[in-house]
Amino acid sequence: MIALISVVSIIGAGVGYPLAALLAELGGVRAAYGLGLVVTAAALLTAWRSMPEAPEGRSAHVDVAGAVVLAAALLLVLFLAGERNLWSRHLAVAAGLAVVAVVLLCVWAVIELRSTTPLVDVRAVRHPAVAGAILAMFVGGIGMYLLLTLITRYAQTPHGAGYGFGLTTFVAGLVLIPFSVLGFVAGKLTPRVRTRIAGPLLLAGSAVVVGGGFALFAAARSDLAELFAAMGVLGFGVGGFSAAMPGVILAVTPKSETSSAMSFNYVVRSVGYSLGSAIGGLILAAGTGPGHLFPDDSAYTTAALVGIGAMAITTLTSLALARRRSSETNP
């Protein structure tokens, strides 16, 4: 069930992007953000109505302080990742904000350790296998979302730039359909395959598949069908990775700490996705010449190579997890 929840978000991306793009074309950006507000409010209401009451003797208080400090720290991290001009023109300011972000993250960790109802129990990371899985999810999340944003932006680039297909925002969003379909297929197949292959090896294999999507995009993107193919490969890899990750974490986590370990993983995944999008924009901005509206085609290749590097790190981390599990089960 947990694996299914992880995969459902992939389907949501394939539906949400085209729908938001269509609303943006028909009613402007405010209409698209309005949809996001409505969907978020509906999700909040559903969670509030469906969440069970806290067991007797357990607190149901929300860790507001931890949530606010974490949000502030992540906001600074994402801001710094996406502001190339700040680093080049105001290095001292950027470095100061980076220090503030680190301090806020440290403060957040202290708050969580001292809280009786922490937003995320950071003690769950003390197990090396959980820490390794979270590292794999973080770096992998950066790579996965990096390719997602690259392809959609490339598809919208007008022909006058010397590349791209000049698709509207809505049509470019439809490029995500292979991502959602094959992601769902991979998510359904993974539980069956996991009975024969260890979870960490599935993570490594899925990371290799995502890396293959990057390689395909780097080598062949002159035809729209090639973008669909790269997006499908990405979706299959992301679906398998997302479905395999919960099993890897739960296998080494005590039952009393499973919720904390999984919530930490979801937070890390979201941060990785956001950073991947910001880093993609940063690379493309760096590849945009003075007076040009669009980056050079080579900037997309550079971003794809960065993504391949991220997935290589994810693969090696997953293989290390597999090796550790093998040594624990066969002393």
Side-chain angles (χ1 to χ4, degrees), residues 2-4 6-7 186-188 190-191 194 203 238-247:
I2 297 178
L4 180 60
S6 299
V7 175
K188 296 293 288 184
T190 297
R194 197 166 53 210
L203 288 182
V238 173
F241 195 92
S242 300
M245 179 59 75

Side-chain angles (χ1 to χ4, degrees), residues 40-61:
T40 302
L44 179 61
L45 178 62
T46 302
W48 177 64
R49 295 296 300 272
S50 60
M51 288 292 290
E53 295 184 2
E56 186 176 351
R58 296 284 296 275
S59 174
H61 292 296

Side-chain angles (χ1 to χ4, degrees), residues 149-150 153 279-289 294-296 299-300 303:
T149 54
L150 284 178
R153 178 162 180 173
I279 291 173
L282 191 63
I283 295 173
L284 295 182
T288 303
F294 302 99
D296 297 333
Y300 284 92

Side-chain angles (χ1 to χ4, degrees), residues 132-134 136-137 194 203 240-250 262 265:
I134 289 175
M137 186 73 258
R194 197 166 53 210
L203 288 182
F241 195 92
S242 300
M245 179 59 75
V248 174
I249 294 177
L250 296 179
M262 289 307 304
N265 180 257

